[in-house]
Amino acid sequence: MTDATEPELPRGIALAWGVAANPQRGPKREMSVERIVEVAVEIADAEGLAAVSMAGVAARLGFTPMSLYRYVSAKDDLVLLMQEEATGTPPDSMRTAGGWREQLQALYREQVQRYLQHPWVLDVPISGSPTTPNSATWMDAGLHALAGTALSHEERLAVMLLVTGHSRWTGMVLAGYARMQRERGIGDAEITRSEDALYRLLITADAYPDLRAAIEAGVFLDESDPFSFGLDRSLDGVAAYIAAAEQGRHDERPAWVGLDDGDIADDKRFREAQKAVREAEKSLRDARKVERQAAREARERRARQRGDS
């Protein structure tokens, strides 16, 4: 048997979890990791991710770039913390939105809104599975929605990734249109009419018979939401898969096991149990925050003791 070694946390991850040692020197007023991230997010919201630089953030704060490096040692770490701040955490109401399907739909809508509020997040390169507190909370919420189903842990994760993939794609498209509206000073209706007119001008029935038929049917003038439609059909497939899994285990399980949370949402004891779970989860999050703070202070004390010796 081999001894498992605890991996050393990268600086950015340690900062996100609140377990990185604070700098022992540097400006003490109006300077902190939180303030640095706040200003960086403000710049990105106004000018885009490319406008964010250590020098620019330092100038906005009135300090030198070297002052920032005492708190955030690399721009990649800053971007990670910016993403963590911008995505935030899902609202507690999402966990009680109904059954698994309603909860996943709520997760989708919430994530799309975060992308629209901070579209630069979509420009952050994907470099592996996120391991920050807020990203973990989103993952946990998605898995919680599916916890009462017959899906395996691997299948639940796959379904959650399906939904977050839908939200990211929707966010990319909607954020692009929102940017176009701002730059051109036009609204949704005008963009829709312009696109429809271009298609009608360029797409002929001889060269593109099916696309032309769709244009004539008015698809580019239709006001329905194609993104929600795609998500709903994907969830239809998940529902059918869950139903098949439930049927396969039906003879081996009590009658109540296959019930969706939405079927028992009006049960008083069930609601009380859900509330107790939420309160326990909040207490656990608070306790972990206190633990991280205590660990940070302990490391700072140890560092001072070493410096004095």
Side-chain angles (χ1 to χ4, degrees):
M1 183 175 64
T2 60
D3 294 332
T5 58
E6 186 174 306
E8 181 179 353
L9 291 180
R11 172 71 177 174
I13 299 296
L15 286 169
W17 285 98
V19 295
N22 285 330
Q24 299 302 308
R25 302 186 309 278
K28 299 297 184 182
R29 305 172 66 180
E30 299 184 10
M31 178 69 88
S32 66
V33 173
E34 292 77 14
R35 182 59 183 147
I36 292 169
V37 172
E38 180 183 351
V39 169
V41 169
E42 290 173 358
I43 295 173
D45 285 346
E47 305 174 48
L49 184 62
V52 177
S53 67
M54 299 294 276
V57 174
R60 182 76 67 91
L61 286 166
F63 294 105
T64 65
M66 286 307 299
S67 299
L68 260 67
Y69 283 109
R70 295 191 182 101
Y71 292 81
V72 182
S73 57
K75 183 180 176 181
D76 286 347
D77 294 340
L78 176 59
V79 171
L80 182 146
L81 295 173
M82 290 169 60
Q83 184 178 17
E84 177 79 349
E85 174 68 19
T87 54
T89 58
D92 291 338
S93 59
M94 202 190 79
R95 290 176 176 259
T96 57
W100 66 265
R101 183 170 185 140
E102 289 77 17
Q103 290 181 47
L104 291 180
Q105 289 170 328
L107 183 148
Y108 162 83
R109 291 191 297 269
E110 287 290 339
Q111 288 194 330
V112 170
Q113 285 304 309
R114 306 301 166 94
Y115 288 135
L116 293 178
Q117 291 167 4
H118 306 285
W120 54 266
V121 171
L122 295 162
D123 296 328
V124 177
I126 296 175
S127 57
S129 180
T131 52
T132 54
N134 288 352
S135 62
T137 304
W138 282 99
M139 292 177 67
D140 188 71
L143 295 174
H144 171 80
L146 297 160
T149 69
L151 299 180
S152 67
H153 288 291
E154 292 78 11
E155 290 167 339
R156 294 171 195 171
L157 180 62
V159 172
M160 187 212 66
L161 292 175
L162 170 72
V163 175
T164 57
H166 271 286
S167 64
R168 186 176 182 87
W169 168 241
T170 302
M172 289 174 64
V173 175
L174 296 184
Y177 274 95
R179 182 172 59 250
M180 187 180 355
Q181 291 177 35
R182 291 193 302 271
E183 292 174 351
R184 299 184 184 180
I186 57 178
D188 282 338
E190 190 173 349
I191 291 177
T192 298
R193 290 193 297 269
S194 175
E195 289 183 339
D196 180 72
L198 281 175
Y199 273 111
R200 290 179 183 276
L201 175 66
L202 299 171
I203 304 301
T204 65
D206 290 339
Y208 312 96
D210 296 298
L211 178 55
R212 183 67 197 195
I215 294 168
E216 294 295 340
V219 293
F220 293 105
L221 297 173
D222 186 76
E223 296 182 356
S224 61
D225 184 356
F227 304 106
S228 293
F229 177 87
L231 174 66
D232 287 342
R233 301 296 73 77
S234 295
L235 294 181
D236 285 345
V238 173
Y241 187 89
I242 291 175
E246 291 286 355
Q247 184 62 37
R249 296 169 53 184
H250 178 72
D251 294 337
E252 303 174 6
R253 303 164 68 197
W256 57 267
V257 175
L259 290 177
D260 191 277
D261 285 358
D263 297 326
I264 54 176
D266 59 345
D267 184 87
K268 181 179 179 181
R269 291 185 61 187
F270 177 67
R271 291 200 307 271
E272 291 174 349
Q274 283 188 316
K275 182 179 179 181
V277 168
R278 291 195 300 273
E279 292 175 349
E281 289 173 341
K282 183 178 184 301
S283 297
L284 179 59
R285 290 194 297 270
D286 292 342
R288 284 174 173 167
K289 184 176 180 180
V290 172
E291 180 189 33
R292 292 195 297 270
Q293 177 67 23
R296 182 165 59 247
E297 293 173 353
R299 289 187 177 91
E300 291 173 356
R301 287 194 298 270
R302 182 63 60 84
R304 288 195 296 269
Q305 292 170 359
R306 291 174 178 172
D308 294 339
S309 60

